[in-house]
Short mmCIF file of all heavy atoms in Angstrom, two decimals:
data_model
loop_
_atom_site.label_atom_id
_atom_site.label_comp_id
_atom_site.label_asym_id
_atom_site.label_seq_id
_atom_site.Cartn_x
_atom_site.Cartn_y
_atom_site.Cartn_z
N GLN A 1 -7.88 5.09 13.76
CA GLN A 1 -7.11 4.06 13.11
C GLN A 1 -5.63 4.39 13.20
O GLN A 1 -5.11 5.18 12.40
CB GLN A 1 -7.55 3.94 11.62
CG GLN A 1 -6.92 2.80 10.88
CD GLN A 1 -7.36 2.75 9.41
OE1 GLN A 1 -7.62 3.78 8.81
NE2 GLN A 1 -7.44 1.57 8.86
N TYR A 34 -4.58 -11.38 7.65
CA TYR A 34 -4.44 -10.60 6.41
C TYR A 34 -3.32 -9.57 6.57
O TYR A 34 -3.54 -8.39 6.36
CB TYR A 34 -5.76 -9.93 6.05
CG TYR A 34 -6.88 -10.87 5.73
CD1 TYR A 34 -8.10 -10.78 6.37
CD2 TYR A 34 -6.70 -11.86 4.76
CE1 TYR A 34 -9.13 -11.67 6.07
CE2 TYR A 34 -7.74 -12.73 4.45
CZ TYR A 34 -8.95 -12.64 5.09
OH TYR A 34 -9.97 -13.47 4.78
N SER A 36 0.23 -8.15 5.23
CA SER A 36 1.07 -8.11 4.04
C SER A 36 2.33 -7.33 4.33
O SER A 36 2.36 -6.51 5.24
CB SER A 36 0.34 -7.43 2.88
OG SER A 36 -0.81 -8.15 2.50
N TYR A 38 5.52 -5.15 2.22
CA TYR A 38 5.90 -4.54 0.98
C TYR A 38 7.33 -4.02 1.05
O TYR A 38 7.77 -3.48 2.05
CB TYR A 38 4.99 -3.35 0.67
CG TYR A 38 3.53 -3.74 0.55
CD1 TYR A 38 2.70 -3.77 1.64
CD2 TYR A 38 2.99 -4.09 -0.68
CE1 TYR A 38 1.37 -4.15 1.56
CE2 TYR A 38 1.65 -4.47 -0.82
CZ TYR A 38 0.86 -4.49 0.30
OH TYR A 38 -0.47 -4.87 0.18
N LYS A 40 10.01 -1.40 -0.63
CA LYS A 40 9.97 -0.17 -1.41
C LYS A 40 11.38 0.42 -1.57
O LYS A 40 12.01 0.78 -0.60
CB LYS A 40 9.06 0.86 -0.74
CG LYS A 40 8.84 2.08 -1.62
CD LYS A 40 7.92 3.07 -1.03
CE LYS A 40 7.78 4.27 -1.97
NZ LYS A 40 9.05 4.76 -2.51
N GLY A 43 11.96 6.02 -5.14
CA GLY A 43 11.49 6.39 -6.46
C GLY A 43 10.65 5.35 -7.15
O GLY A 43 10.22 5.56 -8.32
N LYS A 44 10.36 4.28 -6.50
CA LYS A 44 9.57 3.20 -7.11
C LYS A 44 8.33 2.90 -6.27
O LYS A 44 8.27 3.25 -5.09
CB LYS A 44 10.38 1.91 -7.27
CG LYS A 44 11.51 2.02 -8.24
CD LYS A 44 12.14 0.67 -8.50
CE LYS A 44 13.21 0.74 -9.58
NZ LYS A 44 13.79 -0.58 -9.87
N GLY A 45 7.34 2.29 -6.88
CA GLY A 45 6.18 1.86 -6.14
C GLY A 45 6.49 0.66 -5.26
O GLY A 45 7.42 -0.08 -5.56
N PRO A 46 5.75 0.47 -4.20
CA PRO A 46 5.97 -0.69 -3.33
C PRO A 46 5.77 -2.01 -4.10
O PRO A 46 5.01 -2.05 -5.06
CB PRO A 46 4.88 -0.51 -2.25
CG PRO A 46 4.61 0.96 -2.20
CD PRO A 46 4.74 1.38 -3.66
N LEU A 48 4.88 -6.09 -3.39
CA LEU A 48 4.36 -7.07 -2.42
C LEU A 48 5.35 -8.25 -2.31
O LEU A 48 5.66 -8.87 -3.32
CB LEU A 48 3.00 -7.57 -2.88
CG LEU A 48 2.29 -8.60 -2.01
CD1 LEU A 48 1.87 -7.95 -0.67
CD2 LEU A 48 1.08 -9.19 -2.72
N TYR A 51 1.94 -11.96 1.59
CA TYR A 51 0.52 -11.66 1.80
C TYR A 51 -0.11 -12.76 2.64
O TYR A 51 0.43 -13.87 2.75
CB TYR A 51 -0.21 -11.48 0.46
CG TYR A 51 -0.38 -12.76 -0.34
CD1 TYR A 51 -1.58 -13.45 -0.35
CD2 TYR A 51 0.67 -13.25 -1.11
CE1 TYR A 51 -1.74 -14.60 -1.09
CE2 TYR A 51 0.53 -14.40 -1.86
CZ TYR A 51 -0.68 -15.09 -1.85
OH TYR A 51 -0.83 -16.23 -2.59
N PRO A 57 4.14 -14.14 -3.01
CA PRO A 57 3.66 -14.08 -4.42
C PRO A 57 4.66 -14.76 -5.34
O PRO A 57 5.84 -14.93 -5.00
CB PRO A 57 3.61 -12.58 -4.69
CG PRO A 57 3.60 -11.92 -3.38
CD PRO A 57 4.38 -12.81 -2.47
N HIS A 89 7.40 -2.11 4.54
CA HIS A 89 6.16 -1.65 5.18
C HIS A 89 5.23 -2.84 5.37
O HIS A 89 5.03 -3.64 4.47
CB HIS A 89 5.45 -0.63 4.28
CG HIS A 89 6.25 0.59 3.98
ND1 HIS A 89 6.08 1.78 4.66
CD2 HIS A 89 7.21 0.83 3.05
CE1 HIS A 89 6.92 2.69 4.17
NE2 HIS A 89 7.63 2.14 3.19
N SER A 91 1.28 -4.15 6.47
CA SER A 91 -0.09 -3.68 6.46
C SER A 91 -1.02 -4.79 6.95
O SER A 91 -0.65 -5.99 6.92
CB SER A 91 -0.53 -3.22 5.05
OG SER A 91 -0.83 -4.35 4.24
N TYR A 93 -5.42 -5.85 7.36
CA TYR A 93 -6.86 -5.53 7.26
C TYR A 93 -7.35 -5.14 8.66
O TYR A 93 -6.77 -5.61 9.68
CB TYR A 93 -7.60 -6.77 6.76
CG TYR A 93 -9.10 -6.60 6.68
CD1 TYR A 93 -9.67 -5.84 5.67
CD2 TYR A 93 -9.96 -7.19 7.63
CE1 TYR A 93 -11.05 -5.69 5.58
CE2 TYR A 93 -11.31 -7.07 7.57
CZ TYR A 93 -11.88 -6.28 6.53
OH TYR A 93 -13.23 -6.12 6.46
N THR A 96 -12.45 -1.80 10.42
CA THR A 96 -13.18 -0.75 9.69
C THR A 96 -13.37 -1.10 8.23
O THR A 96 -13.96 -0.34 7.48
CB THR A 96 -12.42 0.58 9.77
OG1 THR A 96 -11.15 0.44 9.14
CG2 THR A 96 -12.24 1.02 11.22
N GLY A 97 -12.80 -2.25 7.82
CA GLY A 97 -12.95 -2.67 6.44
C GLY A 97 -11.86 -2.10 5.52
O GLY A 97 -11.90 -2.26 4.31
N THR A 98 -10.91 -1.40 6.12
CA THR A 98 -9.83 -0.79 5.36
C THR A 98 -8.50 -1.45 5.74
O THR A 98 -8.45 -2.33 6.58
CB THR A 98 -9.73 0.72 5.61
OG1 THR A 98 -9.42 0.93 6.99
CG2 THR A 98 -11.04 1.40 5.29
N LEU A 99 -7.47 -0.99 5.11
CA LEU A 99 -6.11 -1.42 5.41
C LEU A 99 -5.42 -0.37 6.26
O LEU A 99 -5.69 0.82 6.11
CB LEU A 99 -5.29 -1.67 4.15
CG LEU A 99 -5.77 -2.72 3.17
CD1 LEU A 99 -4.84 -2.79 1.96
CD2 LEU A 99 -5.86 -4.08 3.85
N PHE A 101 -1.36 0.68 7.52
CA PHE A 101 0.05 0.42 7.26
C PHE A 101 0.90 0.73 8.47
O PHE A 101 0.48 1.50 9.36
CB PHE A 101 0.55 1.25 6.11
CG PHE A 101 0.04 0.79 4.73
CD1 PHE A 101 -1.13 1.26 4.23
CD2 PHE A 101 0.80 -0.11 3.99
CE1 PHE A 101 -1.60 0.85 2.99
CE2 PHE A 101 0.34 -0.54 2.75
CZ PHE A 101 -0.85 -0.06 2.25
N GLY A 102 2.09 0.18 8.51
CA GLY A 102 3.08 0.54 9.48
C GLY A 102 3.86 1.76 9.03
O GLY A 102 3.72 2.19 7.87
N GLY A 103 4.71 2.28 9.89
CA GLY A 103 5.46 3.46 9.57
C GLY A 103 6.64 3.21 8.63
O GLY A 103 7.27 4.14 8.14
N TYR B 35 -9.96 -5.65 -5.75
CA TYR B 35 -10.28 -4.26 -5.49
C TYR B 35 -9.17 -3.33 -5.94
O TYR B 35 -8.08 -3.79 -6.24
CB TYR B 35 -10.60 -4.01 -4.01
CG TYR B 35 -9.47 -4.11 -3.04
CD1 TYR B 35 -8.74 -2.97 -2.67
CD2 TYR B 35 -9.11 -5.30 -2.48
CE1 TYR B 35 -7.70 -3.05 -1.79
CE2 TYR B 35 -8.07 -5.41 -1.60
CZ TYR B 35 -7.40 -4.26 -1.23
OH TYR B 35 -6.35 -4.38 -0.36
N ILE B 39 -3.24 4.91 -2.05
CA ILE B 39 -2.36 4.99 -0.87
C ILE B 39 -1.43 6.20 -1.08
O ILE B 39 -1.07 6.50 -2.20
CB ILE B 39 -1.51 3.72 -0.74
CG1 ILE B 39 -2.41 2.49 -0.62
CG2 ILE B 39 -0.58 3.80 0.45
CD1 ILE B 39 -2.72 1.81 -1.93
N GLN B 41 2.07 8.59 0.60
CA GLN B 41 3.21 8.64 1.50
C GLN B 41 3.66 10.08 1.64
O GLN B 41 4.33 10.61 0.77
CB GLN B 41 4.36 7.76 1.01
CG GLN B 41 5.51 7.72 2.00
CD GLN B 41 6.57 6.69 1.60
OE1 GLN B 41 6.77 6.37 0.44
NE2 GLN B 41 7.25 6.15 2.62
N LYS B 45 7.43 10.13 5.93
CA LYS B 45 6.51 9.31 6.71
C LYS B 45 6.21 7.97 6.02
O LYS B 45 6.69 7.73 4.92
CB LYS B 45 5.20 10.07 6.96
CG LYS B 45 5.38 11.33 7.80
CD LYS B 45 4.05 11.95 8.12
CE LYS B 45 4.21 13.19 9.01
NZ LYS B 45 2.90 13.80 9.35
N GLY B 46 5.44 7.15 6.69
CA GLY B 46 5.12 5.86 6.14
C GLY B 46 3.91 5.91 5.21
O GLY B 46 3.33 6.99 4.97
N LEU B 47 3.56 4.77 4.68
CA LEU B 47 2.42 4.69 3.78
C LEU B 47 1.12 4.90 4.56
O LEU B 47 1.00 4.47 5.71
CB LEU B 47 2.38 3.33 3.08
CG LEU B 47 3.57 2.97 2.19
CD1 LEU B 47 3.48 1.51 1.73
CD2 LEU B 47 3.65 3.92 0.98
N GLU B 48 0.17 5.53 3.92
CA GLU B 48 -1.14 5.76 4.53
C GLU B 48 -2.22 5.33 3.56
O GLU B 48 -2.27 5.80 2.42
CB GLU B 48 -1.35 7.22 4.91
CG GLU B 48 -2.70 7.52 5.53
CD GLU B 48 -2.92 8.98 5.82
OE1 GLU B 48 -2.35 9.84 5.11
OE2 GLU B 48 -3.67 9.28 6.76
N ASN B 49 -3.07 4.43 3.98
CA ASN B 49 -4.19 4.00 3.14
C ASN B 49 -5.21 5.10 3.04
O ASN B 49 -5.60 5.69 4.04
CB ASN B 49 -4.83 2.76 3.71
CG ASN B 49 -5.90 2.20 2.82
OD1 ASN B 49 -5.68 1.93 1.65
ND2 ASN B 49 -7.09 2.01 3.39
N TYR B 54 -14.18 -1.99 -4.02
CA TYR B 54 -14.18 -3.41 -4.33
C TYR B 54 -14.88 -3.69 -5.64
O TYR B 54 -15.61 -2.84 -6.18
CB TYR B 54 -14.87 -4.21 -3.19
CG TYR B 54 -13.97 -4.32 -1.98
CD1 TYR B 54 -13.76 -3.23 -1.14
CD2 TYR B 54 -13.36 -5.53 -1.69
CE1 TYR B 54 -12.95 -3.35 -0.02
CE2 TYR B 54 -12.55 -5.66 -0.56
CZ TYR B 54 -12.34 -4.56 0.27
OH TYR B 54 -11.53 -4.69 1.35
N TYR B 60 -14.55 1.60 0.75
CA TYR B 60 -14.13 1.75 2.15
C TYR B 60 -13.06 2.83 2.21
O TYR B 60 -12.11 2.83 1.41
CB TYR B 60 -13.56 0.43 2.67
CG TYR B 60 -14.58 -0.63 2.91
CD1 TYR B 60 -14.85 -1.57 1.92
CD2 TYR B 60 -15.28 -0.71 4.10
CE1 TYR B 60 -15.81 -2.54 2.12
CE2 TYR B 60 -16.24 -1.69 4.33
CZ TYR B 60 -16.50 -2.61 3.31
OH TYR B 60 -17.44 -3.58 3.51
N TYR B 61 -13.21 3.76 3.14
CA TYR B 61 -12.27 4.87 3.24
C TYR B 61 -11.64 4.91 4.62
O TYR B 61 -12.24 4.53 5.62
CB TYR B 61 -13.00 6.18 2.97
CG TYR B 61 -13.65 6.29 1.62
CD1 TYR B 61 -14.99 6.65 1.48
CD2 TYR B 61 -12.93 6.03 0.45
CE1 TYR B 61 -15.58 6.74 0.23
CE2 TYR B 61 -13.51 6.10 -0.79
CZ TYR B 61 -14.85 6.46 -0.90
OH TYR B 61 -15.43 6.57 -2.14
N ASN B 62 -10.41 5.42 4.65
CA ASN B 62 -9.72 5.68 5.91
C ASN B 62 -10.64 6.60 6.72
O ASN B 62 -11.02 7.65 6.26
CB ASN B 62 -8.37 6.34 5.63
CG ASN B 62 -7.55 6.54 6.89
OD1 ASN B 62 -8.09 6.82 7.97
ND2 ASN B 62 -6.25 6.47 6.73
N PRO B 63 -10.98 6.20 7.95
CA PRO B 63 -11.88 7.06 8.76
C PRO B 63 -11.41 8.50 8.89
O PRO B 63 -12.24 9.42 8.98
CB PRO B 63 -11.89 6.34 10.11
CG PRO B 63 -11.64 4.90 9.79
CD PRO B 63 -10.64 4.95 8.63
N TYR B 96 -0.10 6.87 -4.62
CA TYR B 96 -0.01 5.64 -5.39
C TYR B 96 -1.38 5.04 -5.63
O TYR B 96 -2.21 5.05 -4.73
CB TYR B 96 0.82 4.58 -4.62
CG TYR B 96 2.25 4.96 -4.36
CD1 TYR B 96 2.63 5.51 -3.14
CD2 TYR B 96 3.24 4.73 -5.32
CE1 TYR B 96 3.92 5.84 -2.88
CE2 TYR B 96 4.57 5.04 -5.04
CZ TYR B 96 4.90 5.60 -3.83
OH TYR B 96 6.19 5.93 -3.57
N ILE B 102 -4.47 -10.87 -6.07
CA ILE B 102 -3.95 -12.05 -5.39
C ILE B 102 -4.76 -12.41 -4.18
O ILE B 102 -4.58 -13.48 -3.59
CB ILE B 102 -2.46 -11.79 -5.03
CG1 ILE B 102 -1.68 -13.08 -4.89
CG2 ILE B 102 -2.36 -10.93 -3.79
CD1 ILE B 102 -0.18 -12.88 -4.77
N TYR B 105 -6.97 -8.61 0.45
CA TYR B 105 -6.36 -7.56 1.28
C TYR B 105 -4.86 -7.42 1.07
O TYR B 105 -4.15 -7.02 1.96
CB TYR B 105 -6.67 -7.85 2.74
CG TYR B 105 -8.15 -8.10 2.93
CD1 TYR B 105 -8.63 -9.31 3.37
CD2 TYR B 105 -9.08 -7.09 2.61
CE1 TYR B 105 -10.01 -9.53 3.52
CE2 TYR B 105 -10.45 -7.29 2.75
CZ TYR B 105 -10.90 -8.51 3.21
OH TYR B 105 -12.23 -8.73 3.33
N ALA B 106 -4.41 -7.72 -0.13
CA ALA B 106 -2.99 -7.54 -0.49
C ALA B 106 -2.91 -6.88 -1.84
O ALA B 106 -3.53 -7.31 -2.80
CB ALA B 106 -2.29 -8.89 -0.51
N LEU B 107 -2.13 -5.82 -1.93
CA LEU B 107 -2.01 -5.05 -3.16
C LEU B 107 -0.78 -5.50 -3.93
O LEU B 107 0.37 -5.26 -3.52
CB LEU B 107 -1.92 -3.57 -2.81
CG LEU B 107 -3.17 -3.00 -2.11
CD1 LEU B 107 -2.84 -1.75 -1.35
CD2 LEU B 107 -4.25 -2.75 -3.15
N ASP B 108 -0.99 -6.20 -5.06
CA ASP B 108 0.12 -6.79 -5.78
C ASP B 108 0.51 -6.06 -7.04
O ASP B 108 1.51 -6.40 -7.67
CB ASP B 108 -0.16 -8.28 -6.06
CG ASP B 108 -1.40 -8.50 -6.89
OD1 ASP B 108 -2.45 -7.89 -6.58
OD2 ASP B 108 -1.35 -9.30 -7.86
N TRP B 110 1.11 -2.07 -8.37
CA TRP B 110 1.20 -0.68 -7.95
C TRP B 110 1.64 0.21 -9.11
O TRP B 110 2.40 -0.23 -9.99
CB TRP B 110 2.23 -0.53 -6.83
CG TRP B 110 1.87 -1.13 -5.53
CD1 TRP B 110 1.78 -2.46 -5.22
CD2 TRP B 110 1.55 -0.42 -4.34
NE1 TRP B 110 1.42 -2.61 -3.90
CE2 TRP B 110 1.28 -1.38 -3.34
CE3 TRP B 110 1.48 0.94 -3.98
CZ2 TRP B 110 0.93 -1.04 -2.02
CZ3 TRP B 110 1.14 1.28 -2.68
CH2 TRP B 110 0.86 0.30 -1.70
N GLY B 111 1.19 1.44 -9.09
CA GLY B 111 1.75 2.46 -9.97
C GLY B 111 3.06 2.96 -9.39
O GLY B 111 3.43 2.59 -8.26
N GLN B 112 3.77 3.76 -10.15
CA GLN B 112 5.06 4.26 -9.67
C GLN B 112 4.92 5.45 -8.77
O GLN B 112 5.88 5.87 -8.12
CB GLN B 112 5.94 4.62 -10.87
CG GLN B 112 5.45 5.77 -11.71
CD GLN B 112 6.38 6.06 -12.89
OE1 GLN B 112 7.14 5.18 -13.30
NE2 GLN B 112 6.32 7.25 -13.42
#
Side-chain angles (χ1 to χ4, degrees):
Chain A
Q1 185 181 33
Y34 295 126
S36 298
Y38 300 88
K40 189 179 179 315
K44 293 188 175 182
L48 180 69
Y51 69 101
H89 300 262
S91 79
Y93 178 75
T96 62
T98 62
L99 299 178
F101 287 88
Chain B
Y35 70 93
I39 300 92
Q41 185 172 28
K45 296 186 178 181
L47 298 173
E48 178 184 30
N49 184 54
Y54 285 74
Y60 289 93
Y61 300 128
N62 184 326
Y96 297 96
I102 204 170
Y105 309 117
L107 297 159
D108 59 314
W110 290 70
Q112 65 180 22

